[in-house]
Amino acid sequence: MLSALLFALAAVAQQTSAAADPHDRGLRMLARLVRDPRWLAGSLGDTAAFAMQAVALGFGSLLLVQPIIVTQLVFALPLAAWWAGRRPSRRELAWAAVLVVALALFVTVGEPTAGVDRAGLTAWAPTGSVLLVLFAACLVAARSTTGTARALLLAAATGIAYGVVAALTLGVVDTLSDGITTVLTSWETWALVVAVVGGTLLQQAAFQAGALGASLPAVVVGEPVVAAVVGVTVLDERLSTGGAGWALVAVLVAVLVVATIALARASAGTEAESGGRAP
């Protein structure tokens, strides 16, 4: 939960900085951001949150830890509303409540169990190929769109990258006990570095393209969904439920997705109506 709060604070700080100049792109945007104290503070919060997430993954499965990250929306959207000089709307609060309740029920009913911490490239190949195609499709589509649509597509690509980051983190944490040499020679370590850097750049581009309410929910829901898919198909994680429990889990997953999309639309709509005023 503390990790989710830090991620939320970091997202608000970084979105404020990234959106300052919508004409910046790529390295030019990054060069501007690293000189902004707000972005640096957000990056520090991101780093601390990621460290806590890694510690949590050392004790629990992806299916247990990653869904809890969704709760950062409950912290981030009110913070973003305050920064914009408005109060969260009733729709935002209602959908946020639905999101939290559905998440709590998912963890309770599903009872996620751990699988293996690491898997070879052969085990990663089928799922990794599908994720790579989806990732590329989001980037290609984002090139021909603007505004909220571009923010959502870039955020979806970010969610895929961060979902892979979570799964790779589990493997890297597992190698720590074998010493620094094993860590540095592990393919997961370098794949993790690429995914973190790529995901960070894409997230800044998504924050720049549209309101936080349009981009952050897509990142937040995309990360645990992708992590869960990798956990089940690659790392052999499972949900300890059966019969009617599976039907309820399916409904809860659908509710999580619908609530996140609805929350994004409600927040983006309210942001547009308020004109994005800062206090």
Side-chain angles (χ1 to χ4, degrees):
M1 188 67 76
L2 182 56
S3 177
L5 174 58
L6 288 173
F7 273 132
L9 291 169
V12 174
Q14 291 177 341
Q15 195 272 343
T16 302
S17 303
D21 189 344
H23 301 294
D24 279 355
R25 292 289 186 274
L27 293 177
R28 181 179 176 184
M29 178 183 69
L30 185 60
R32 173 175 59 82
L33 290 176
V34 297
R35 297 193 301 270
D36 191 325
R38 296 169 300 180
W39 188 84
L40 292 175
S43 296
L44 181 62
D46 245 349
T47 302
F50 178 73
M52 292 182 182
Q53 183 182 13
V55 171
L57 287 171
F59 292 94
S61 66
L62 288 168
L63 289 175
L64 175 62
V65 174
Q66 289 309 115
I68 297 176
I69 301 300
V70 174
T71 59
Q72 69 177 278
L73 281 175
V74 179
F75 302 114
L77 294 180
L79 287 170
W82 172 81
W83 184 261
R86 63 176 180 84
R87 294 182 178 180
S89 68
R90 291 182 178 179
R91 284 188 302 166
E92 287 177 290
L93 295 175
W95 282 114
V98 170
L99 197 65
V100 171
V101 171
L103 175 61
L105 288 174
F106 171 81
V107 173
T108 302
V109 175
E111 297 184 39
T113 60
V116 298
D117 292 332
R118 303 176 65 189
L121 289 172
T122 302
W124 269 90
T127 300
S129 298
V130 173
L131 292 177
L132 187 60
V133 169
L134 292 175
F135 180 81
C138 288
L139 295 185
V140 170
R143 290 177 62 88
S144 59
T145 57
T146 58
T148 299
R150 176 178 171 81
L152 285 171
L153 287 166
L154 290 174
T158 303
I160 293 173
Y162 282 171
V164 172
V165 165
L168 291 172
T169 299
L170 194 61
V172 173
V173 169
D174 184 62
T175 65
L176 291 176
S177 60
D178 297 326
I180 189 64
T181 301
T182 302
V183 173
L184 293 178
T185 56
S186 168
W187 71 268
E188 288 105 327
T189 299
W190 300 106
L192 176 63
V193 170
V194 171
V196 167
V197 173
T200 299
L201 292 175
L202 283 172
Q203 181 171 253
Q204 302 313 307
F207 287 165
Q208 184 185 52
L212 187 68
S215 55
L216 183 60
V219 175
V220 171
V221 78
E223 178 180 344
V225 167
V226 170
V229 169
V230 173
V232 171
T233 61
V234 179
L235 302 179
D236 200 32
E237 295 186 357
R238 294 291 181 266
L239 295 176
S240 301
T241 189
W246 278 111
L248 181 56
V249 166
V251 170
L252 290 172
V253 170
V255 170
L256 284 170
V257 174
V258 170
T260 301
I261 294 173
L263 188 56
R265 290 179 175 176
S267 182
T270 307
E271 185 82 10
E273 292 171 5
S274 68
R277 296 184 299 274

